[in-house]
Amino acid sequence: MGSLISDYENRYFGKQPWWKDALFYQVYPASFKDSNGDGWGDLPGLISKIDYLEELGVDVVWVSPIFESPQKDMGYDVSDYQKIYAPYGTVEDVDTLLEECHKRGMKVILDLVVNHTSVEHEWFKESRSSKDNPKRDWYIWKPARYDHNGKKRHPPTNWRGYFAGPTWTWDEQTQEYYLHLYAPDQPDLNWDNAECREAIYEKTMRFWLDRGVDGFRIDTVNKYSKRTDFVDAPITDHTSPHQPAPEMWCNGPRIHEFIHEMNRNILAPYNAVSVGELSLTPHPHQVIPYVSAQAQELDMVFEFSVIRLGNGNGFGAKYIYDPFPLSTLKRLTAKWQSFIEGTDAWATAFCENHDNGRAVSRFGDASTPELWSRSAKTIALWQATMTGTLFLYQGQEIGMTNMPPSWGVEEYKDIESSNFYAEAVQSGDGERVRKTIDGLRILARDHARIPFQWSDEPNAGFSDAGAKPWMRVHDDYVAINAAKQRHDPDSILSFYKHVLKLRKRYKDVFVFGAHKLLDPDDEEVWAYVKESPCPVNGRDGMPRKALVMMNFSRSERDVGDIANALGCKEGDVHLLVGTADSLDSDRTTASKGGPWPGLAAWEGRVYTNFEPLMT
């Protein structure tokens, strides 16, 4: 059996890009590890924890924005792409990070933010200096509109931005508006200008690739091409003068031309890995052109249908929580697991990032310590068995939870949280304010940005005892921290390490396997079969299969006919892994074909039609 699998791997996986079965780990540097006691995480702090990441099984470290910035949007407003924001460290610290990762066989990608810059970037300072400046057209400027008597000034369009308010800001000096899809501090670059694009490639990408960076996570990658007729959006929100208009700037007329050019000129020559943030693109036929190997654009993208579950409409009602049943989560997952089948495209798997609440608080059950542990392990099992490249977010591996509901709204520091709350208050609608606060407690970006819980020491080991972290440390850090879990074989961290190794060991099934959802209407048990793309089982020519069963409820559920789901005889069913310790005592009899105990509350298991390799 072992030699058969090795032959298969040599034939099939030797031709696959390395990043397909790699584990990417996102670091939010302000909150990861503070090395100098200023309350702000930094690059030396990250470097000091590389061994922790290696031990977890990380192949690629993705570092969220660290460039020079006024920090109006936590570094997504860059003022100099070739400098590092001083509290994070220096360019030389990036060199050290690269060196330390590379010598361990790990890679590093940086966050590339080039839909917009900061208003403090030299490019924008020149652009706004006069209408005839050579860089004027590097940003998007438009004259005002006026009412019928020519006295009241209006923005060029009625578009609403992502952080509430209009997408246009008036510039007194040159008497025109500039476009910004996000905050007024983040003016959009004009990708239709060829000189601007070349400067982006040279100054923001080639500079770092020449220093040894291995690729980029590319922010807002499908917003570079805007419609150029600049017409009003339909009025869909009668409570606001500013209307949602993503159809005006997402997946625009030249977007594939731009991304292909970026790949041809920069990414491909450096063999740099790329993963793009693809928001508001909910249909597979829209996504595939970005990640088709033949198209030669991006290696991977993040599609957000699953991780945005619970959000409102994405604009005015984004933080009005919209509850969803398990069946919706199951169907959306199945859709984005199977959309690449029969194509040359590729998928990603993730359930946390810096822009969303914690997975165990949103998809699991953190109401008691026992249910928190059970559900966090079940979420780990879900993620480790997903087709595509897997991305983890810092703290996910120890089950970090949302900020306590007892914390006041003043603890929410993020610009989006603040703006949506302020908008609700300004509406004068008390019910809207209440619902917005409730929604923020579940969905806010702030939850993912509180300091990493390293230990039970003061400030959770994130910073020195006398320091004041830039965000409040979670109240539960004594109970939930990496040090406590590191040597506990029953911990969430230990379980993540185990299932991540299994994912690599059986990558033909889990990373590359086809996904088939079972019982889509069951609102408690989530079951699906993963099937290897090639028959390597060696038994009657059958492909290797795994049945993933997860109980997303507090009541015990029957496992059903496992052999039938796997298409094999009862005696050929094997237990690969389970989240419950109680199964250990049953493993000898269970691994020989049953009888199989029912699934306890928030329990997950993986069964296979092949005998697991001995370790």
Side-chain angles (χ1 to χ4, degrees):
M1 175 63 68
S3 62
L4 186 62
I5 295 170
S6 297
D7 289 345
Y8 171 72
E9 290 179 342
N10 290 334
R11 276 198 324 273
Y12 185 78
F13 298 120
K15 300 177 183 178
Q16 296 293 329
W18 64 266
W19 41 263
K20 286 192 173 183
D21 69 336
L23 173 64
F24 286 65
Y25 185 98
Q26 182 185 0
V27 169
Y28 198 73
S31 301
F32 193 62
K33 176 62 179 174
D34 170 22
S35 71
N36 59 7
D38 64 358
W40 189 269
D42 47 46
L43 288 167
L46 167 56
I47 293 164
S48 73
K49 296 296 184 180
I50 295 300
D51 287 341
Y52 168 86
L53 299 181
E54 182 183 27
E55 186 178 284
L56 178 61
V58 171
D59 299 299
V60 185
V61 180
W62 155 22
V63 185
S64 290
I66 51 175
F67 304 134
E68 186 67 72
S69 167
Q71 300 296 323
K72 299 296 183 181
D73 183 24
M74 289 303 294
Y76 285 92
D77 50 320
V78 180
S79 56
D80 192 326
Y81 290 97
Q82 298 184 6
K83 292 182 180 178
I84 301 300
Y85 181 54
Y88 286 133
T90 64
V91 171
E92 289 70 30
D93 288 327
V94 178
D95 294 339
T96 302
L97 174 65
L98 291 168
E99 180 183 358
E100 292 300 316
C101 285
H102 288 169
K103 74 183 185 182
R104 292 169 172 80
M106 301 162 66
K107 299 181 186 293
V108 177
I109 65 172
L110 300 183
D111 220 309
L112 183 68
V113 186
V114 289
N115 175 71
H116 46 266
T117 69
S118 165
V119 291
E120 296 185 18
H121 196 288
E122 288 301 320
W123 295 348
F124 187 72
K125 289 180 180 179
E126 289 189 49
S127 184
R128 79 188 312 180
S129 65
S130 69
K131 290 183 179 180
D132 58 0
N133 185 276
K135 288 188 174 61
R136 180 66 172 184
D137 193 45
W138 285 30
Y139 294 83
I140 300 171
W141 296 91
K142 294 294 173 185
R145 296 188 296 182
Y146 291 89
D147 59 16
H148 65 280
N149 60 17
K151 292 184 178 180
K152 188 172 182 180
R153 187 182 71 230
H154 298 280
T157 68
N158 67 346
W159 302 349
R160 174 192 170 97
Y162 285 95
F163 292 162
T167 60
W168 299 95
T169 289
W170 179 251
D171 180 62
E172 283 290 343
Q173 183 168 333
T174 57
Q175 295 289 293
E176 283 191 326
Y177 284 91
Y178 64 86
L179 179 71
H180 53 88
L181 300 185
Y182 296 90
D185 308 271
Q186 297 167 287
D188 277 46
L189 288 159
N190 180 17
W191 275 70
D192 285 319
N193 184 300
E195 290 184 356
C196 178
R197 294 200 307 276
E198 183 53 39
I200 290 170
Y201 303 151
E202 180 68 26
K203 303 297 184 181
T204 75
M205 300 179 73
R206 189 174 286 119
F207 175 84
W208 290 105
L209 292 168
D210 283 341
R211 299 191 80 93
V213 167
D214 300 291
F216 301 99
R217 176 268 187 182
I218 307 176
D219 188 62
T220 59
V221 77
N222 60 329
K223 297 174 183 172
Y224 303 158
S225 175
K226 279 82 169 175
R227 280 179 51 174
T228 56
D229 48 357
F230 293 101
V231 297
D232 279 347
I235 296 175
T236 56
D237 182 357
H238 294 277
T239 68
S240 172
H242 315 302
Q243 301 301 309
E247 69 276 10
M248 303 296 179
W249 60 70
C250 280
N251 311 308
R254 299 184 67 188
I255 190 63
H256 292 292
E257 172 193 344
F258 294 158
I259 304 305
H260 182 73
E261 179 184 81
M262 176 192 286
N263 181 71
R264 181 183 69 245
N265 291 357
I266 302 295
L267 296 170
Y270 284 89
N271 196 28
V273 65
S274 59
V275 53
E277 181 190 31
L278 202 70
S279 63
L280 296 167
T281 309
H283 304 294
H285 74 268
Q286 297 173 301
V287 175
I288 287 175
Y290 287 96
V291 290
S292 163
Q294 185 176 6
Q296 298 180 30
E297 293 188 18
L298 300 169
D299 294 324
M300 302 168 278
V301 294
F302 296 126
E303 196 286 324
F304 293 113
S305 294
V306 169
I307 204 169
R308 295 295 192 200
L309 276 173
N311 284 107
N313 65 12
F315 289 88
K318 179 175 182 178
Y319 287 108
I320 305 299
Y321 185 64
D322 184 15
F324 56 90
L326 177 63
S327 57
T328 298
L329 175 59
K330 291 160 65 170
R331 285 189 170 92
L332 282 175
T333 299
K335 172 183 176 180
W336 293 107
Q337 282 285 282
S338 61
F339 86 104
I340 61 172
E341 293 175 11
T343 76
D344 65 351
W346 191 242
T348 55
F350 65 104
C351 66
E352 283 197 26
N353 65 19
H354 63 293
D355 281 338
N356 293 275
R358 289 292 184 173
V360 71
S361 297
R362 297 178 60 211
F363 305 116
D365 189 339
S367 59
T368 70
E370 181 180 7
L371 292 174
W372 158 76
S373 178
R374 285 171 171 261
S375 62
K377 290 178 183 177
T378 297
I379 289 170
L381 195 68
W382 163 34
Q383 291 298 290
T385 57
M386 290 286 97
T387 298
T389 302
L390 180 59
F391 288 76
L392 297 186
Y393 180 74
Q394 65 179 48
Q396 179 179 341
E397 75 277 10
I398 60 170
M400 283 183 65
T401 63
N402 278 358
M403 295 155 56
S406 61
W407 286 11
V409 72
E410 70 278 359
E411 300 292 351
Y412 291 75
K413 310 296 186 184
D414 176 52
I415 185 174
E416 186 173 75
S417 300
S418 299
N419 285 5
F420 273 80
Y421 174 72
E423 185 179 50
V425 171
Q426 290 166 8
S427 74
D429 183 343
E431 181 67 6
R432 180 179 174 184
V433 173
R434 183 190 65 78
K435 288 184 175 180
T436 299
I437 292 175
D438 288 344
L440 288 171
R441 286 173 176 156
I442 301 170
L443 303 167
R445 307 198 301 181
D446 304 78
H447 298 299
R449 303 180 181 191
I450 62 174
F452 190 100
Q453 291 151 217
W454 289 106
S455 69
D456 61 3
E457 298 173 341
N459 285 327
F462 161 74
S463 190
D464 294 344
K468 182 179 180 181
W470 74 280
M471 281 195 76
R472 182 175 171 180
V473 172
H474 202 291
D475 295 347
D476 291 339
Y477 74 89
V478 173
I480 303 175
N481 64 73
K484 183 177 181 180
Q485 295 189 26
R486 187 178 181 188
H487 299 296
D488 177 1
D490 296 329
S491 70
I492 296 166
L493 178 59
S494 293
F495 187 76
Y496 261 100
K497 291 177 181 179
H498 181 52
V499 294
L500 291 173
K501 288 178 181 176
L502 292 176
R503 175 178 174 82
K504 285 285 185 74
R505 184 178 303 160
Y506 305 108
K507 60 186 174 182
D508 64 304
V509 177
F510 299 124
V511 178
F512 294 94
H515 182 284
K516 180 183 177 182
L517 177 63
L518 307 179
D519 298 322
D521 296 322
D522 191 320
E523 300 294 358
E524 293 186 333
V525 173
W526 188 353
Y528 49 87
V529 171
K530 298 296 301 293
E531 181 175 322
S532 172
C534 189
V536 297
N537 189 43
R539 184 185 298 112
D540 302 323
M542 289 179 59
R544 285 151 53 95
K545 294 182 182 180
L547 170 64
V548 182
M549 299 195 72
M550 301 174 292
N551 184 0
F552 271 59
S553 78
R554 298 180 184 180
S555 57
E556 183 171 331
R557 289 294 305 271
D558 184 66
V559 295
D561 191 339
I562 297 169
N564 182 62
L566 287 171
C568 66
K569 299 175 182 177
E570 188 69 39
D572 293 332
V573 174
H574 301 272
L575 176 67
L576 178 65
V577 63
T579 62
D581 300 332
S582 59
L583 274 184
D584 290 344
S585 59
D586 300 325
R587 184 173 298 275
T588 301
T589 56
S591 65
K592 294 181 179 179
W596 304 104
L599 288 170
W602 285 104
E603 181 185 353
R605 297 178 208 153
V606 177
Y607 300 97
T608 66
N609 70 344
F610 57 89
E611 186 172 356
L613 296 173
M614 299 298 292
T615 57

